[in-house]
Amino acid sequence: MLYVEILGSLPGMATDEVRTLLGREPVGRDHLLLTVEGDPAPLTRLGLAHEFGLLLFEADSVEELLRRAKGFDWPIEGTFKVDTETMSNCVHDVRELPRRLGAVIHSQGFRVNLSRPDSVVRVYCGERLHVGLRLHAFDPKEFEARKAHRRPFFRPISLHPRVSRALVNLSRAREEVLDPFVGAGGILIEAGLMGLRVYGVDVKPEMVEGARLNLMHYGVRDFDVRLGDATRLEEVFEREFEAVVTDPPYGTSATLGGRARDELYREALASIHRVLRRGGRLVTAFPADFDGESEGEAAGFRLVARYYQRVHGSLERYFYVFERP
Ligand SMILES: C[S@@+](CC[C@H](N)C(=O)[O-])C[C@H]1O[C@@H](n2cnc3c(N)ncnc32)[C@H](O)[C@@H]1O
């Protein structure tokens, strides 16, 4: 059994990201802690998670946890430390737990190292207490280093790299991704770092050049970014794609290239439908005042899921996951 600690900012999307990567439903949940079964390897691709690991056992009180810990066969290698996470729904007093649990594990012959442990025993406090062994923690600095202002070609309009990564995962892409409004390439950087072949289109030559520069800067080599129109994709590549992930411009006339926003979205949806393989997914954002659900269905897509996000005071959006039947 595994645990995944998801981010609190987009919990619905984060849960579906885990579900999509594992291809199965979580077996349990306690606030931001998901309990899942399966192979942990695909989870290293997650965007909206803090960490994942082996779930060792669960308890309903601190005393029960310590009792179980005494007879437990700890899968610890080298030195260890105990690290607790008090979630906002925590109903147990865990202040003394690291010291007390550490002493129990130490009495079985394991050495403590608080600064550089080889193994981290994680205790999550929510409705219940969940004891795990960390397998992988996502380093926030790695995502920060790929935020828009850290790229060689900078444009302020860009998704957070964690969100871009989640969108790619929700697309179920295994081989390739097309972003028809590529911009500075934020989505393709994440997809490329996951080992996917990436394709991009933008109407502005400077964006095409900028996206290429950014992809190369982060070590993505397998890309094909072309000048073209997202409403005429079939003319740009003359082939079908496994998955499409995108973040279209939201409204300033500069990024819309002088066209009416809703008309651009409608025509782009129709064009994406023409180049997306049957059974393939389109994952896209739209501002909340555009009825993406009806418009997507009118273009021939089936809605799989959508997630709301307030970006700032005047901008609210939904992320949509569509499938081409
Ligand atoms: C919001 S930006 C994309 C941001 C990008 N997802 C990222 O994370 O860096 C939208 C881009 O769409 C481009 N664009 C506008 N109209 C277009 C069209 N008809 N076809 C292709 N690209 C278009 C703009 O030039 C702009 O670069």
Side-chain angles (χ1 to χ4, degrees), residues 151 157-159 164 179-187 201-204 207 228-231 246-250 254-257 259 264:
R151 300 175 194 151
I157 28 158
S158 198
L159 299 173
S164 295
D179 181 350
F181 294 97
V182 73
I187 291 170
V201 173
D202 206 287
V203 272
K204 289 198 185 159
M207 301 309 273
D229 192 324
T231 62
T246 197
D247 180 31
Y250 296 159
T255 56
L256 287 168
R259 297 170 65 166
L264 173 68

Side-chain angles (χ1 to χ4, degrees), residues 63-79:
E63 296 313 317
E64 184 198 338
L65 186 156
L66 291 170
R67 234 182 359 261
R68 292 201 55 183
K70 282 187 186 127
F72 196 75
D73 187 9
W74 292 91
I76 291 172
E77 290 185 10
T79 57

Side-chain angles (χ1 to χ4, degrees), residues 13 17 21 42-49 136 138 142-143 146 159-172 186-196 245 283:
M13 189 192 275
E17 193 190 15
L21 281 180
L43 297 177
T44 53
R45 282 175 54 157
L46 283 170
L48 299 175
H136 183 86
F138 296 93
E142 283 185 21
F143 289 107
R146 299 198 295 272
L159 299 173
H160 191 285
R162 283 184 177 276
V163 175
S164 295
R165 187 165 273 251
L167 301 182
V168 173
N169 284 327
L170 290 168
S171 80
R172 288 202 302 212
I187 291 170
L188 296 192
I189 291 168
E190 297 307 313
L193 292 175
M194 291 183 214
L196 301 169
V245 181
V283 182

Side-chain angles (χ1 to χ4, degrees), residues 21-291:
L21 281 180
L22 291 177
R24 54 171 106 189
E25 291 297 308
V27 289
R29 117 169 266 156
D30 188 349
H31 192 44
L32 298 177
L33 193 76
L34 303 181
T35 315
V36 296
E37 282 173 331
D39 174 12
L43 297 177
T44 53
R45 282 175 54 157
L46 283 170
L48 299 175
H50 289 295
E51 68 172 81
F52 65 85
L54 295 175
L55 183 69
L56 303 177
F57 61 88
E58 295 172 306
D60 287 309
S61 70
V62 168
E63 296 313 317
E64 184 198 338
L65 186 156
L66 291 170
R67 234 182 359 261
R68 292 201 55 183
K70 282 187 186 127
F72 196 75
D73 187 9
W74 292 91
I76 291 172
E77 290 185 10
T79 57
F80 81 100
K81 82 164 175 176
V82 176
D83 196 1
T84 50
E85 191 67 44
T86 310
M87 298 189 287
S88 63
N89 66 335
C90 172
V91 294
H92 307 273
D93 182 353
V94 291
R95 280 170 295 182
E96 289 295 308
L97 193 59
R99 194 184 53 74
R100 294 178 73 192
L101 179 57
V104 170
I105 300 173
H106 176 69
S107 72
Q108 295 184 17
F110 296 103
R111 274 189 309 121
V112 177
N113 183 335
L114 295 180
S115 52
R116 294 176 63 110
D118 300 311
S119 303
V120 178
V121 173
R122 287 286 268 159
V123 181
Y124 287 89
C125 177
E127 302 265 319
R128 304 188 75 196
L129 294 161
H130 313 264
V131 183
L133 188 73
R134 178 186 287 162
L135 291 178
H136 183 86
F138 296 93
D139 184 355
K141 287 198 215 91
E142 283 185 21
F143 289 107
E144 294 301 313
R146 299 198 295 272
K147 280 178 86 168
H149 63 284
R150 306 281 291 271
R151 300 175 194 151
F153 176 76
F154 167 61
R155 284 290 179 279
I157 28 158
S158 198
L159 299 173
H160 191 285
R162 283 184 177 276
V163 175
S164 295
R165 187 165 273 251
L167 301 182
V168 173
N169 284 327
L170 290 168
S171 80
R172 288 202 302 212
R174 290 284 168 265
E175 289 173 10
E176 60 180 24
V177 165
L178 165 69
D179 181 350
F181 294 97
V182 73
I187 291 170
L188 296 192
I189 291 168
E190 297 307 313
L193 292 175
M194 291 183 214
L196 301 169
R197 244 176 300 122
V198 297
Y199 299 83
V201 173
D202 206 287
V203 272
K204 289 198 185 159
E206 71 264 31
M207 301 309 273
V208 172
E209 272 315 304
R212 288 177 181 153
L213 195 67
N214 283 344
L215 285 160
M216 286 194 285
H217 176 76
Y218 291 101
V220 178
R221 297 277 174 267
D222 208 355
F223 65 81
D224 185 349
V225 180
R226 300 187 187 183
L227 187 66
D229 192 324
T231 62
R232 303 168 74 147
L233 294 167
E234 55 284 3
E235 294 170 18
V236 186
F237 285 107
E238 296 183 7
R239 52 162 295 198
E240 287 195 326
F241 290 90
E242 183 195 15
V244 176
V245 181
T246 197
D247 180 31
Y250 296 159
T252 62
S253 53
T255 56
L256 287 168
R259 297 170 65 166
R261 190 198 70 175
D262 292 11
E263 181 193 306
L264 173 68
Y265 291 174
R266 267 184 218 115
E267 290 180 18
L269 279 168
S271 181
I272 292 165
H273 191 270
R274 290 193 290 273
V275 300
L276 184 62
R277 203 181 287 166
R278 275 185 197 284
R281 284 187 171 185
L282 159 65
V283 182
T284 181
F286 285 124
D289 64 351
F290 179 76
D291 186 355

